[in-house]
Amino acid sequence: MIIYLVKSTLLLGLLFGLYKLLLENEKMHRFNRFFLLFALVFGLTAPLISFEIQPEQSIAGIQMQQVERVVNAPAEAVNRSVQPLITPEQGLSLGSEITPNTVSESKWSIGTLDVLLALYGAITLFLLIRFVAGLIQIRNKVRAGTRKELEHATLVLLEEPITPQSFLDYIFIEKQPFESGKIEPEILDHEFTHVRQFHSFDVLLIEFLKVIFWFNPLMYLYKHAIQLNHEFLADEAVVRSGSSISDYQELLIRVSSGNNSLKTTCSINYSLTKKRLKMMGKKISKIKVGAVWLFFLPLSVALIIVFSSKTDSHPQTISMQEIWDSLPPTTYYDVELESEGPTGLYHPLDERTGIFIGPDGEPFTGERNTYSVDTDSVTYTETIVDGKVTRSEFPMYDSTGAYQYRSVNTYSLDEDGNKVTTNYTDRLTDSLVLSDILSENDSLSTYVIYHPNGQIAQEFQIRPEFGLHGIATVYDERGVIIGQRRYDKGELIEEIKEIQ
């Protein structure tokens, strides 16, 4: 979100700077109106668009990857500076020490983000209410005034003093001067232009954007430029209708001496400056208008490419150990061991999975307990011989924390070098989760599971790359076979004895 806000602000600022430098003082008001509205919409949406280009791709001799880095640099710099203040760190390494200061900093960070969001929400809600209140005020004025239907607009005659102004197809005028013929035709033509050219929709758009992006000062600059451009367009229409420029300028100065306007309306007295008076005497250059179009069309394409593209670089490979280390610690060990080679978390008797190295730098032999950070209770016990796990034991609890059963696994190799896993539980469970079924180990693993009374409950073999293989047998607590199936590389071949 921070990167989006920075990119959109940069793009809006760049386009507004081009407008002030090249367009504002030129008599091409229709194009300027289009440009300002386009700049607003484009500046807010272009950073949301994403398409990929090749890192080595260049346009007009410019390496796009380098351009992307230049554009992204300010956004990433702000993001790196601001993000740690509002977002807590998401992960600590397993060996990180948890201290009261760490906890308090995390809570402070979360609180900061909450405060900022609450502040933004409160201000946005206030501005939205004020925006709606302004629309309600206009509706009340329409209902309170005397309406006079014309061909392209509706005159709303008010008893109170008010500067002529328009909103949608309504033109608000003071009733007494209008009925006595003191409202000049040029003033009505000016407001009719606002109605015919739908200037109110531009105002509604920028007012709504101000509600959402109230913190962005560029929104207020765009509003000023849009409304001033509306006045340029209305003035141009009046002058084209045959009115004398000097007489019309004197009329505007006289009428604008009053200052009683409604919110979100197009008022004739808006920003009556030397710019507006000078603009009436300027001539339109068709050559200059064409040159501007030829300049801004390729500029728009270039900005889309720069602010929306992403180089198709190869993603950085993240190992499982890095992901594991990034998780917040939930357990700790009573003996810290290192793993020589690949991780030794799985397949403890497989040479390719690594050897546990003890504090003395030699393969560890002994017992290691794993404790819960929350309860300081033992959650896992390993018996390790020459760096290889030969036995593991862990208790199982339900969602309420109640003890369910204890599971003990022993690991060994048979005469053919196949791994044999023997599982014993206090209580026979409905299902067994075997973490090493999908091992890269090609050997055939034999599993033997016992009833609590010591009698064999299940006996089966697994080929890691396929699943069940050979004969799988289920026994009752007396040792009687109650079910038997034959598998071939994970596929059920024969139902020797259906489980009763």
Side-chain angles (χ1 to χ4, degrees):
M1 178 57 72
I2 294 175
I3 292 179
Y4 162 75
L5 291 176
V6 174
K7 276 190 171 184
S8 63
T9 301
L10 287 174
L11 187 52
L12 287 170
L14 174 63
L15 294 173
F16 187 77
L18 291 173
Y19 172 78
K20 295 289 288 186
L21 182 65
L22 302 176
L23 299 177
E24 186 181 50
N25 295 323
E26 299 298 331
K27 197 168 185 179
M28 48 182 70
H29 309 314
R30 289 178 177 81
F31 175 83
N32 288 355
R33 182 190 181 189
F34 161 79
F35 180 84
L36 287 170
L37 295 177
F38 167 80
L40 271 176
V41 176
F42 179 72
L44 294 174
T45 57
L48 297 175
I49 304 171
S50 178
F51 59 90
E52 293 182 348
I53 59 174
Q54 297 300 320
E56 67 277 4
Q57 185 173 349
S58 62
I59 298 177
I62 302 175
Q63 196 75 20
M64 294 310 300
Q65 188 177 23
Q66 300 299 325
V67 174
E68 182 193 10
R69 290 176 181 174
V70 172
V71 173
N72 288 338
E76 293 175 352
V78 174
N79 185 56
R80 287 194 298 268
S81 302
V82 177
Q83 192 71 21
L85 300 178
I86 63 175
T87 305
E89 292 294 331
Q90 297 298 315
L92 298 171
S93 65
L94 289 175
S96 300
E97 181 180 359
I98 299 178
T99 64
N101 290 337
T102 304
V103 176
S104 63
E105 287 179 10
S106 179
K107 290 182 178 179
W108 182 87
S109 298
I110 294 176
T112 301
L113 179 59
D114 291 340
V115 169
L116 291 176
L117 290 176
L119 179 62
Y120 170 80
I123 296 177
T124 302
L125 179 61
F126 169 76
L127 294 176
L128 181 61
I129 293 174
R130 193 175 71 169
F131 175 68
V132 174
L135 297 178
I136 294 175
Q137 180 190 17
I138 295 175
R139 184 197 63 179
N140 293 337
K141 293 292 184 183
V142 172
R143 291 180 176 180
T146 302
R147 279 174 284 183
K148 183 179 180 62
E149 299 293 338
L150 301 179
E151 184 178 356
H152 299 293
T154 300
L155 293 180
V156 180
L157 307 178
L158 301 174
E159 299 291 345
E160 61 191 72
I162 186 173
T163 302
Q165 53 200 275
S166 60
F167 178 75
L168 297 179
D169 59 346
Y170 296 104
I171 298 176
F172 300 90
I173 298 178
E174 188 177 353
K175 184 176 182 179
Q176 193 276 329
F178 175 78
E179 292 181 342
S180 60
K182 295 181 180 180
I183 301 294
E184 291 81 354
E186 292 85 354
I187 300 300
L188 290 177
D189 287 344
H190 182 102
E191 298 304 324
F192 279 133
T193 301
H194 287 313
V195 172
R196 287 194 304 270
Q197 297 184 5
F198 306 105
H199 292 171
S200 295
F201 291 103
D202 301 0
V203 177
L204 285 173
L205 173 63
I206 186 60
E207 289 289 348
F208 180 74
L209 291 177
K210 278 175 54 186
V211 171
I212 306 299
F213 300 98
W214 52 264
F215 51 86
N216 191 337
L218 286 171
M219 292 298 165
Y220 303 89
L221 297 178
Y222 271 94
K223 177 187 176 182
H224 180 275
I226 288 173
Q227 290 187 303
L228 185 58
N229 176 257
H230 289 169
E231 299 308 311
F232 287 159
L233 286 166
D235 293 340
E236 181 183 46
V238 174
V239 172
R240 280 185 174 181
S241 66
S243 298
S244 167
I245 294 179
S246 59
D247 293 342
Y248 180 58
Q249 289 174 334
E250 293 178 2
L251 174 63
L252 289 180
I253 295 174
R254 184 173 69 254
V255 172
S256 64
S257 59
N259 188 19
N260 189 3
S261 61
L262 301 172
K263 294 178 181 178
T264 70
T265 58
C266 299
S267 174
I268 198 172
N269 68 330
Y270 182 82
S271 295
L272 188 60
T273 62
K274 288 184 179 180
K275 283 185 179 180
R276 188 174 166 194
L277 298 176
K278 288 181 178 180
M279 188 62 70
M280 297 180 195
K282 288 188 175 183
K283 302 295 183 181
I284 299 176
S285 172
K286 293 184 179 180
I287 295 177
K288 186 174 291 186
V289 172
V292 167
W293 274 104
L294 290 177
F295 172 73
F296 278 103
L297 283 176
L299 175 65
S300 300
V301 175
L303 291 176
I304 291 175
I305 294 174
V306 170
F307 280 86
S308 302
S309 63
K310 292 183 178 180
T311 54
D312 185 17
S313 57
H314 296 289
Q316 182 180 1
T317 302
I318 301 177
S319 66
M320 288 301 298
Q321 189 64 41
E322 290 174 323
I323 296 176
W324 180 267
D325 291 339
S326 69
L327 298 175
T330 59
T331 60
Y332 62 92
Y333 305 112
D334 58 357
V335 180
E336 291 295 334
L337 301 176
E338 297 291 335
S339 179
E340 186 179 82
T343 177
L345 292 177
Y346 304 111
H347 313 291
L349 293 179
D350 187 346
E351 291 288 352
R352 289 171 294 181
T353 59
I355 301 296
F356 283 121
I357 304 299
D360 58 357
E362 298 296 330
F364 180 76
T365 297
E367 191 173 87
R368 179 172 73 163
N369 294 312
T370 302
Y371 297 85
S372 168
V373 169
D374 298 328
T375 63
D376 289 326
S377 60
V378 177
T379 61
Y380 190 64
T381 300
E382 298 165 289
T383 300
I384 305 173
V385 178
D386 294 332
K388 301 177 183 179
V389 178
T390 60
R391 183 179 183 275
S392 62
E393 175 182 339
F394 54 93
M396 300 296 292
Y397 303 89
D398 62 16
S399 59
T400 66
Y403 175 82
Q404 292 293 293
Y405 62 91
R406 180 171 59 95
S407 179
V408 179
N409 296 290
T410 58
Y411 312 98
S412 61
L413 299 176
D414 62 16
E415 295 179 355
D416 298 325
N418 295 319
K419 184 177 67 173
V420 178
T421 300
T422 303
N423 174 270
Y424 169 80
T425 59
D426 293 326
R427 176 177 60 83
L428 189 64
T429 57
D430 295 332
S431 62
L432 178 66
V433 178
L434 302 174
S435 61
D436 54 349
I437 287 179
L438 298 180
S439 163
E440 294 181 358
N441 184 3
D442 295 329
S443 64
L444 181 67
S445 299
T446 301
Y447 291 87
V448 181
I449 302 175
Y450 291 86
H451 285 291
N453 64 1
Q455 178 62 49
I456 293 179
Q458 297 178 28
E459 203 173 19
F460 55 90
Q461 295 177 316
I462 288 180
R463 282 194 179 278
E465 69 273 31
F466 300 114
L468 288 168
H469 182 74
I471 296 177
T473 306
V474 180
Y475 303 85
D476 64 13
E477 294 183 355
R478 297 171 300 171
V480 177
I481 295 177
I482 60 174
Q484 201 168 41
R485 294 176 176 176
R486 185 189 304 276
Y487 292 86
D488 183 23
K489 297 181 179 179
E491 182 180 354
L492 177 61
I493 302 300
E494 180 184 3
E495 185 85 39
I496 301 174
K497 181 179 179 60
E498 186 175 356
I499 298 177
Q500 302 297 323

